[in-house]
Amino acid sequence: RISTSKGQLLALQALAQLQKEDIPITLTCIGEPVYPHDYEYLAECEKFTREQKLESIVSFLGPKKRTELAIILPTMTLCINMSTTGSLDKAGLEALSAGVPVITANEAFRSVIGELSPELMLNRQTSEDLVRALRWYLTLPENQRKGLRDALRQEVVKHHSLNTFADRIFTTL
C-alpha cells in the first residue's frame, strides 16, 4: 500500500542522498493508495521523485497479486518496511521468506532480524537512519550478503511459516 505509514517518501529521500554519494541504487514501490490521503501522499512522492530527478531509478509498480510478488520479490536486493505498527507486517515476512532482507523501524521485527543483523533495525523512522542501513548493507561483500539473506530466510521459515503457525494454534487449543 502507498501510505505515510509505509514511509515511501523516507525511502525516496534516502535514495536521493545515496545517489549524491554515487552509490548505485534503484527503488521499486509496490502497492496502491487506498484512502484519499494516500492518494495525496502518492502525489507528494511522485512530485519529490520529479524534483530530485529520480525518475530513471524509481518505479511505482502499483498493486501486484501474490503470484506476481512471488516472482518479483526474489529479484530484489532489500525490502524497506517503515511501518511502525508494532506487529509483524505481512509484507516484511513475505520479503524475508523470499530471501530478501528487510530494513525496518518496526520493533516487532527485532525478534526476527535484530539478533542476526541489528544494522537492519532502525532506531528511528528517519531518512538518515535508513541511509545508514542501506549504505551498510550495500557495501557488504556479496558472500556476507548471501549468508545474511539465507540466515534471515531460515529464521522466518522456522518461526513464522504456515506450518509453525498451525502448530501454535493446535498447541493453544
Side-chain angles (χ1 to χ4, degrees):
R1 192 176 92 182
I2 304 292
S3 171
T4 55
S5 66
K6 302 295 182 180
Q8 287 91 359
L9 187 55
L10 287 171
L12 289 165
Q13 291 166 344
L15 186 76
Q17 176 61 42
L18 291 170
Q19 186 182 41
K20 289 175 187 169
E21 298 176 20
D22 290 327
I23 295 176
I25 189 167
T26 60
L27 178 67
T28 303
C29 296
I30 301 172
E32 67 182 335
V34 175
Y35 303 107
H37 61 274
D38 295 340
Y39 284 93
E40 293 169 13
Y41 182 68
L42 174 59
E44 184 181 353
C45 290
E46 291 172 333
K47 179 181 176 194
F48 181 87
T49 300
R50 285 188 306 277
E51 289 173 350
Q52 297 296 313
K53 300 179 178 21
L54 302 173
E55 297 97 335
S56 66
I57 59 173
V58 174
S59 302
F60 291 93
L61 293 186
K64 296 295 171 197
K65 296 176 184 173
R66 297 236 181 277
T67 53
E68 294 171 303
L69 282 176
I71 295 166
I72 294 168
L73 279 176
T75 69
M76 299 293 160
T77 302
L78 283 166
C79 173
I80 299 170
N81 185 305
M82 297 304 285
S83 175
T84 56
T85 61
S87 61
L88 284 172
D89 187 284
K90 177 180 53 139
L93 290 174
E94 288 171 338
L96 289 167
S97 69
V100 180
V102 175
I103 294 176
T104 186
N106 189 343
E107 280 299 313
F109 277 94
R110 192 163 299 280
S111 64
V112 180
I113 298 170
E115 284 188 35
L116 292 170
S117 184
E119 297 85 357
L120 297 177
M121 289 297 307
L122 306 181
N123 294 321
R124 301 166 307 180
Q125 194 180 26
T126 65
S127 62
E128 293 84 12
D129 273 8
L130 182 52
V131 164
R132 177 197 45 77
L134 286 165
R135 192 182 298 120
W136 174 82
Y137 185 79
L138 294 173
T139 58
L140 278 179
E142 181 53 39
N143 65 332
Q144 288 181 10
R145 286 174 27 178
K146 183 181 181 338
L148 181 57
R149 286 191 303 267
D150 293 346
L152 288 168
R153 183 182 188 292
Q154 288 173 353
E155 183 69 16
V156 79
V157 167
K158 181 179 177 183
H159 295 289
H160 300 283
S161 69
L162 187 56
N163 288 340
T164 58
F165 180 67
D167 289 344
R168 285 194 313 259
I169 289 174
F170 284 120
T171 301
T172 304
L173 295 176

